[in-house]
Amino acid sequence: MDRQNQLLRERLQTGFLGIIAFAILMFMLVQARFMLICLAIAIIIFSLTSDAISAIARQRVPNWLATTLALLLIGIGLLWVSATVVSQINEVVTTAISYAEQMQAALPALLEWMGPEAQRTIETALSNANVTGWMRTAAGGASDVISAAVLIFLFVGFMFAERVWFPLKIESLLDEDPVAAARVRQIISSIMRRVNRYLVVKALVSGATALCLWIIFTTAGLPLAGAIALMTFALNFIPSIGSVIATIIAVVMAYVLSADLATTIAVGAACTAVQFAIGNVLDPMLLGQTLRLSSFGIILSLAFWGAIWGLPGMFLAVPIMVAVMIVCAHIPWLRPIAIMLSREGHPDDGLTDE
């Protein structure tokens, strides 16, 4: 009896310690989210460019030259992305101010079918909305983009500086066991390959979708075509719900900017057709079996990381889930998690990738 009580007490203590550790981890993830998001994006950029540097090095180009060129291109790319995002945010804020009266005039016709009570409720909510606060938030977000770009560039630079010593550090951590170190490096390489392949394909698909929506808005003579395209490109990285949200926002913006129901229907139909064709034909054809993740697990991952890190967390949810599944598949006591995250109950260890 005393032995059973002791075991029960130890299990309760372990459970309480686990709960406390989880709470501390959640607190740290929330409080340090800006730095952690920048670090996660820097790791992804480092992973993508490492393959490119290795390919360049095989062409008898010195490694230091390839690394320098890569860092230069990364810096230029981050600067261009930051400038583009900031300019689009400024354009959205300016357009929102100039179209405020038109939006107030267009909303009654849009909400008429909902009935007078619902119409009054929505109009009251919109009249109480703090538009000035939203614009200040948008301006603050623009400055955060520049700060994030600088921090990401610093992270990537130091990762490249430590790149040569990383295999030696892994071997030292594993008590100078070369076999175990080689296996860990193989697992890390498989995660990088899988995430790189997913992000490259997703970037191509999202870019094609964004280009189509830019053409639709430009053809319809509507402003903010660049902002809508940029928003669509970012949201299409979010599986399942990203394309739906992008389409809804595009349709609402088309009605607000045109105040014409026929134009809105035409733009909405075109955007829906593009999202359906690319999302249900091109996207599955290119991705194929790249992810092998549970659809329900993807939704849970989106909800969790979205609650922790917001929109950037939803962007990073799938790469994080891929890494977690592959790592858990190699650890016996964590294998049940890998099984639950896999699509068919057969967790992928990533070692079958070419």
Side-chain angles (χ1 to χ4, degrees), residues 110-245:
L110 181 64
L111 302 175
E112 187 177 355
W113 63 274
M114 300 180 66
E117 293 187 4
Q119 186 176 350
R120 281 195 298 269
T121 302
I122 294 176
E123 288 178 351
T124 302
L126 291 174
S127 63
N128 293 331
N130 186 7
V131 179
T132 304
W134 291 350
M135 294 186 179
R136 288 176 180 173
T137 302
S143 62
D144 288 343
V145 169
I146 298 175
S147 302
V150 174
L151 189 58
I152 290 169
F153 180 76
L154 291 175
F155 279 146
V156 174
F158 282 107
M159 286 179 191
F160 276 118
E162 295 285 331
R163 183 168 176 254
V164 178
W165 309 107
F166 188 65
L168 297 176
K169 291 181 178 180
I170 291 178
E171 191 167 340
S172 298
L173 286 171
L174 296 174
D175 298 327
E176 307 293 338
D177 187 350
V179 176
R183 185 170 180 80
V184 170
R185 289 197 300 271
Q186 190 177 13
I187 294 171
I188 294 173
S189 298
S190 65
I191 294 173
M192 292 172 63
R193 283 196 304 270
R194 186 68 58 85
V195 172
N196 289 354
R197 190 189 313 159
Y198 165 76
L199 290 176
V200 169
V201 172
K202 204 67 178 174
L204 293 174
V205 172
S206 299
T209 308
L211 178 61
C212 290
L213 262 69
W214 181 84
I215 293 173
I216 291 170
F217 267 69
T218 303
T219 304
L222 299 175
L224 297 181
I228 294 296
L230 183 62
M231 177 209 65
T232 301
F233 178 80
L235 288 177
N236 270 36
F237 276 88
I238 302 175
S240 305
I241 62 173
S243 59
V244 177
I245 296 174

